[in-house]
Amino acid sequence: MDMLHLYEWVDIKSILIFFSVFLLLSDYIRNKAPKNFPPGPWSLPIIGDIHHIDNSKIHLQFAKFAEKYGKIFSLRIGPRMVVLDGYKLVKEVYTQQGDNLADRPSLPIFFDIIGDRGLLVTNGYKWKHQRRFALSTLRNFGLEKKSLEPSISLECCFLNEAISNKQGRPFDPHFLLNNAVSNVICVLVFGNRFEYSDHEFQSLLKNISEAFYLEGGVCAQLYNMFPWLMRRLPGPHKKIIALWKEVIGFVRERVNVHRENYDPSNPRDYIDCFLTEMEKLKDDTAAGFDVENLCICSLNLFVAGTETTATTLYWGLLYMIKYPEIQAKVQEEIDCVVGGSRQPSLSDKDSMPYTNAVIHEIQRIGNIIPINVVRATVEDTQIGPYSIPKGTIVTGSLTSVLFDESEWETPHSFNPGHFLDTEGNFRRRDAFLPFSLGKRVCLGEQLARMELFLFFSSLLQRFTFSSPAGVEPKLDFKLGATHCPQPYKLCAVPR
């Protein structure tokens, strides 16, 4: 009987050993670094470089890796990724090899949520058609034109009124800013804005912010590394999927309402125009003009048009209460150029170089998308001395661009002088790339620029912002898919 148990134990032990060796060998073969690949930290079997990464400050760790391994280095966080460090390198690769970096990688967590749909993660024929259509449609509704300015200015009035109602008491401006910025893109995509008292919409915006934060966590990385396992395990990754499903459900409701009262002779917004295009291209299924893709494209525009600009303004107010002398100087310029009897307009921008410089510096130091939205090589590519196989994830670190010590005089300080010449005139900086560049440059750059100027100047025209009594403002951040301030409160006193 004892011999029988021994044989059973040996058999089980042999199976476990064989299985372990098999896993290690298959992982080595599948993830072995290609020949002439960029250097990087020493990876462990199965988990790659995840033990080297602190997700709460990964953008800062990239700088450390670049110091050790060079301006072009690699990491294995799931699939292997190549990171480009520094303005000159990022610009060179993204512009000169833009066609080779026009794809997005297929990451399991996003594929499981939206599939191969939308404007953000699709590639090739479908992506080109959808991006071209989105740009032309939004331009027709005023994107990049002053015809959109009245809509933004009206929203500035609503936001100012909501802040006035706080009566100088401490409050967190995060979701008021989110709602205000979101309303601009909501008018373009859905045809209507949402009241700040709309609790359902406020809850939706909170879900989006939470999902963005969770996407930067270790569970999201593990999902992309081991989707077959993580799909079966509980954890924050399940919350990410549930939150996005709820947001998609909200968008789908708007699409269904549009389909019910759609009038092809009177397109009201992006959704109506998409429905018209569906009829025109119903035989070209590869172009992606179908109801499900409409939902995801609308989602992409809605979310992208909300989160980054609102977060920039959130940083902006924090820096104003941190540096009241800069706030006062902005207000002095607003008073001189605009006065108090009318709202600031885009035509004032050229006459307000200091305000414009402050906004640009907020964008630079706020660093909203610090590691950039990753791309993938369309074909085998040479970057510097290294060979990068087709399908490899590549990202140009925006942190390394916006804080490049060879490009910025005081990169780690809040200094509006970065964007002013010796005579106080506004000056453009080549290394100012918060919207990235190349084939996948941010679709809504012009809209964001308009919003930032009008919202920021309108807020500082009406209010003086300060910390609550006895509270020292802190510039602490939290990192998810975006780089946000830690929640804070301020007081807004009418001027």
Side-chain angles (χ1 to χ4, degrees):
M1 194 68 176
D2 289 340
M3 290 295 292
L4 180 60
H5 286 158
L6 178 62
Y7 283 129
E8 289 176 353
W9 179 82
V10 170
D11 286 345
I12 293 170
K13 184 178 179 182
S14 299
I15 290 169
L16 288 175
I17 292 172
F18 174 80
F19 185 67
S20 298
V21 172
F22 174 77
L23 277 179
L24 292 172
L25 283 174
S26 62
D27 178 79
Y28 174 77
I29 293 168
R30 188 171 63 252
N31 294 296
K32 182 182 177 182
K35 186 179 180 182
N36 196 32
F37 201 67
W42 185 69
S43 302
L44 288 177
I46 311 299
I47 66 170
D49 291 319
I50 200 166
H51 61 297
H52 292 300
I53 300 299
D54 179 350
N55 286 81
S56 67
K57 54 181 181 181
I58 187 173
H59 61 307
L60 303 178
Q61 287 184 299
F62 276 14
K64 300 293 185 184
F65 290 141
E67 288 176 7
K68 186 172 183 179
Y69 301 107
K71 293 289 187 180
I72 307 171
F73 64 90
S74 65
L75 291 170
R76 185 184 153 203
I77 312 174
R80 290 191 180 275
M81 174 171 67
V82 173
V83 181
L84 311 177
D85 180 271
Y87 163 67
K88 289 183 172 60
L89 177 65
V90 172
K91 181 184 179 183
E92 176 187 335
V93 174
Y94 274 27
T95 54
Q96 295 182 13
Q97 301 193 56
D99 289 335
N100 289 343
L101 289 174
D103 276 0
R104 295 282 193 217
S106 179
L107 300 176
I109 193 165
F110 296 119
F111 187 86
D112 286 358
I113 295 169
I114 63 175
D116 183 25
R117 300 187 184 97
L119 290 159
L120 185 62
V121 301
T122 49
N123 295 316
Y125 184 79
K126 181 188 290 186
W127 169 69
K128 289 176 182 177
H129 268 267
Q130 292 300 328
R131 184 179 174 92
R132 190 181 304 119
F133 171 76
L135 272 172
S136 63
T137 301
L138 294 179
R139 281 171 181 156
N140 289 339
F141 284 107
L143 186 69
E144 302 180 359
K145 299 177 184 176
K146 288 192 175 181
S147 58
L148 192 59
E149 183 176 352
S151 176
I152 303 173
S153 296
L154 179 62
E155 198 59 47
C156 289
C157 293
F158 288 127
L159 177 60
N160 288 340
E161 182 181 356
I163 292 176
S164 290
N165 291 338
K166 301 296 181 181
Q167 298 181 334
R169 296 188 296 268
F171 72 101
D172 186 337
H174 187 193
F175 289 106
L176 275 181
L177 295 173
N178 269 26
N179 206 146
V181 171
S182 184
N183 275 340
V184 176
I185 194 66
C186 282
V187 169
L188 290 171
V189 176
F190 305 132
N192 64 280
R193 63 181 296 278
F194 295 87
E195 297 293 338
Y196 303 144
S197 58
D198 187 328
H199 297 299
E200 180 185 0
F201 191 68
Q202 285 284 322
S203 177
L204 191 81
L205 293 176
K206 289 176 181 177
N207 287 349
I208 293 170
S209 291
E210 185 177 3
F212 265 76
Y213 176 66
L214 292 174
E215 283 171 6
V218 67
C219 279
Q221 287 184 358
L222 290 171
Y223 197 105
N224 290 327
M225 294 172 72
F226 313 111
W228 49 271
L229 176 62
M230 298 300 285
R231 288 182 186 119
R232 293 164 173 80
L233 295 178
H237 54 288
K238 294 287 189 182
K239 185 74 177 290
I240 295 171
I241 294 171
L243 289 170
W244 283 124
K245 293 293 184 185
E246 190 170 333
V247 179
I248 292 169
F250 165 84
V251 175
R252 185 170 281 111
E253 286 179 14
R254 268 67 198 166
V255 169
N256 289 338
V257 169
H258 275 68
R259 293 176 72 192
E260 290 172 4
N261 55 30
Y262 166 61
D263 179 2
S265 64
N266 183 33
R268 299 159 292 183
D269 46 42
Y270 171 82
I271 293 177
D272 276 353
C273 292
F274 197 105
L275 292 172
T276 300
E277 202 73 5
M278 280 171 56
E279 285 298 313
K280 291 180 183 176
L281 298 177
K282 58 186 176 182
D283 295 328
D284 187 0
T285 56
F289 286 96
D290 56 70
V291 172
E292 283 305 308
N293 205 41
L294 167 57
C295 291
I296 304 305
C297 287
S298 301
L299 170 78
N300 290 161
L301 292 171
F302 166 51
V303 172
T306 298
E307 191 67 21
T308 53
T309 303
T311 301
T312 303
L313 289 170
Y314 196 37
W315 275 115
L317 294 184
L318 178 58
Y319 274 100
M320 292 304 95
I321 64 176
K322 179 70 173 177
Y323 299 106
E325 70 282 3
I326 293 177
Q327 178 178 190
K329 196 168 179 181
V330 170
Q331 290 171 327
E332 182 183 349
E333 185 175 70
I334 293 172
D335 293 346
C336 179
V337 175
V338 182
S341 60
R342 65 173 179 87
Q343 283 185 268
S345 72
L346 293 175
S347 61
D348 297 318
K349 193 173 182 179
D350 290 341
S351 303
M352 296 166 63
Y354 188 78
T355 302
N356 199 13
V358 169
I359 293 170
H360 279 67
E361 182 67 355
I362 292 166
Q363 287 182 271
R364 184 195 70 82
I365 206 165
N367 190 23
I368 308 301
I369 310 290
I371 62 174
N372 215 332
V373 183
V374 296
R375 308 184 188 189
T377 49
V378 177
E379 57 187 30
D380 291 351
T381 304
Q382 190 79 13
I383 298 181
Y386 302 111
S387 302
I388 315 299
K390 176 182 177 180
T392 302
I393 297 175
V394 177
T395 189
S397 165
L398 289 184
T399 303
S400 73
V401 174
L402 298 174
F403 293 82
D404 191 326
E405 294 183 356
S406 65
E407 295 291 330
W408 305 97
E409 293 78 13
T410 58
H412 302 290
S413 300
F414 185 75
N415 177 12
H418 286 140
F419 296 94
L420 296 169
D421 64 19
T422 54
E423 297 178 354
N425 299 312
F426 180 79
R427 64 165 174 161
R428 300 184 184 279
R429 301 296 294 265
D430 291 340
F432 179 71
L433 298 176
F435 302 101
S436 193
L437 75 169
K439 295 288 184 179
R440 291 277 186 166
V441 67
C442 176
L443 186 74
E445 177 177 349
Q446 295 306 316
L447 174 60
R449 288 179 182 275
M450 285 192 284
E451 289 177 310
L452 288 172
F453 179 79
L454 292 172
F455 277 118
F456 185 77
S457 56
S458 175
L459 286 168
L460 266 68
Q461 179 193 45
R462 286 285 305 276
F463 304 99
T464 294
F465 296 94
S466 61
S467 285
V471 177
E472 177 65 27
K474 297 180 180 179
L475 301 175
D476 297 334
F477 67 86
K478 64 175 186 176
L479 186 65
T482 55
H483 177 256
C484 306
Q486 288 284 357
Y488 68 89
K489 291 186 178 181
L490 51 69
C491 298
V493 178
R495 299 181 66 217

